[in-house]
Amino acid sequence: MSEWINFPEKKPYCSRDKDALGTEVLIWPRPSAGNATAFYGRRVTGRPEFYKYGAVIHGVRWWKPLPMPPKE
């Protein structure tokens, strides 16, 4: 699995498409509720941010891509 990446030193990919959900990644520190994944995109505010369930997540310092799903 990949190493943690410092944010904002390097940011996840962010699509400029109007209806794009963003890129789902693992984040740290994780939100107080839910699991440690979030989307990074423009969907909530129109500028690139981490968000989950329609709420912006502040204070993300590290992120990494999700692992590949298992092969069946």
Side-chain angles (χ1 to χ4, degrees), residues 27-47:
I27 59 169
W28 191 263
R30 64 188 256 170
S32 57
N35 56 30
T37 65
F39 286 92
Y40 184 75
R42 301 172 183 275
R43 191 157 181 99
V44 176
T45 64
R47 64 181 187 267

Side-chain angles (χ1 to χ4, degrees), residues 20-71:
L21 287 175
T23 302
E24 189 173 20
V25 295
L26 292 170
I27 59 169
W28 191 263
R30 64 188 256 170
S32 57
N35 56 30
T37 65
F39 286 92
Y40 184 75
R42 301 172 183 275
R43 191 157 181 99
V44 176
T45 64
R47 64 181 187 267
E49 293 186 289
F50 290 100
Y51 68 93
K52 183 102 179 196
Y53 306 122
V56 174
I57 300 173
H58 300 283
V60 175
R61 296 182 54 206
W62 301 91
W63 68 275
K64 65 179 168 178
L66 294 178
M68 295 298 294
K71 295 179 181 177

